[in-house]
Amino acid sequence: MSDSVPETTVPVEAVVPEPDGPVESEYDREYDPAAPAPLNIPRTLTGNADVDAQLERLGDADHLATDGHIEVYEDVHRGLRDALTALDARPGPPAPPRPNEHRS
């Protein structure tokens, strides 16, 4: 030891233990990219109650993790397909007669 440099000791209280795991900052706790987040996409009503109900159902995916979206999308797809099938099954107005048809 040299007389020109005084010996210093670090008090035990000043030693900060290393954390066992990763340290989370305040930002990390507030933003979790894997957490469900609403897309806030506006849905325009179509005027067809069945279709509009299915469009509203899409909002349920906003509160689910990504792996839960497929169930909602399949349900909406099924509902929209049923709504289109129902439109095809409704009787429409009678078709006008063809000009070359003969009436008896």
Side-chain angles (χ1 to χ4, degrees):
M1 211 173 295
S2 167
D3 291 331
S4 63
V5 178
E7 186 176 321
T8 59
T9 59
V10 177
V12 176
E13 311 76 57
V15 176
V16 178
E18 291 293 321
D20 292 338
V23 178
E24 286 188 10
S25 69
E26 186 175 330
Y27 173 79
D28 292 334
R29 284 189 296 266
E30 290 178 11
Y31 176 72
D32 180 4
L39 298 175
N40 297 323
I41 296 174
R43 293 172 190 87
T44 305
L45 298 178
T46 64
N48 182 300
D50 294 333
V51 173
D52 291 342
Q54 295 305 317
L55 292 177
E56 285 302 312
R57 171 84 168 101
L58 285 173
D60 293 346
D62 287 349
H63 308 289
L64 300 172
T66 306
D67 59 354
H69 289 191
I70 189 74
E71 182 180 336
V72 173
Y73 295 156
E74 286 177 346
D75 185 46
V76 170
H77 181 257
R78 191 172 26 259
L80 290 172
R81 190 177 51 229
D82 292 346
L84 287 172
T85 301
L87 289 173
D88 287 341
R90 292 182 190 156
R98 293 184 184 171
N100 295 336
E101 285 185 10
H102 296 288
R103 296 186 185 197
S104 343

